[in-house]
Amino acid sequence: MEYSRFDDVASLLIELCQPMNDKELVALMNVKISMSESKDFEKHYTAATKGLYVRHFQELKNHTYQPQRFSDINTHLIEGIKDKTAEIGILPAYTTTDSTTNSPAIAGLRAKIAKLREK
């Protein structure tokens, strides 16, 4: 598998953050350790980080982004994951099925979506 900077959470966080002090570097390493111990946490933290990066991509590209402290960003990401409000940059699997697939599960999802649109 080829290395992709976009898949490297540490690289994205370093780009989004102000230069980190020793305490923040240790906190980043602790996050990476937690990610290696829990695949669920890894998936959600990675998605939240990617979402945050994508949201600020234009600012980063135009050099107008104001870097934040890692502790602030990390707190925001962790709370977002706990509250299920983190920016998720990955589409759920059921959104990638084509419209010709017709199973009871997909039909149920389409019915729920139709009801939500009516409200």
Side-chain angles (χ1 to χ4, degrees), residues 12-32:
L12 297 179
L13 288 171
I14 288 170
E15 193 169 338
L16 289 169
C17 297
Q18 297 172 351
M20 296 183 201
N21 60 30
D22 291 340
K23 187 177 179 181
E24 290 177 323
L25 286 172
V26 169
L28 177 59
M29 286 190 271
N30 288 336
V31 167
K32 290 296 282 181

Side-chain angles (χ1 to χ4, degrees), residues 18-88:
Q18 297 172 351
M20 296 183 201
N21 60 30
D22 291 340
K23 187 177 179 181
E24 290 177 323
L25 286 172
V26 169
L28 177 59
M29 286 190 271
N30 288 336
V31 167
K32 290 296 282 181
I33 290 169
S34 296
M35 289 173 71
S36 69
E37 293 172 348
S38 170
K39 292 300 176 189
D40 191 45
F41 176 73
E42 176 187 17
K43 179 179 79 171
H44 291 296
Y45 196 89
T46 301
T49 303
K50 286 180 179 183
L52 183 65
Y53 185 84
V54 167
R55 188 166 45 137
H56 293 292
F57 182 76
Q58 280 303 113
E59 296 170 47
L60 289 163
K61 184 177 167 186
N62 295 331
H63 305 289
T64 58
Y65 177 74
Q66 295 297 318
Q68 301 172 28
R69 291 184 9 217
F70 171 73
S71 55
D72 295 338
I73 289 177
N74 187 46
T75 302
H76 170 72
L77 293 174
I78 300 265
E79 287 175 0
I81 290 169
K82 287 179 183 175
D83 298 338
K84 306 275 189 225
T85 58
E87 299 87 355
I88 303 297

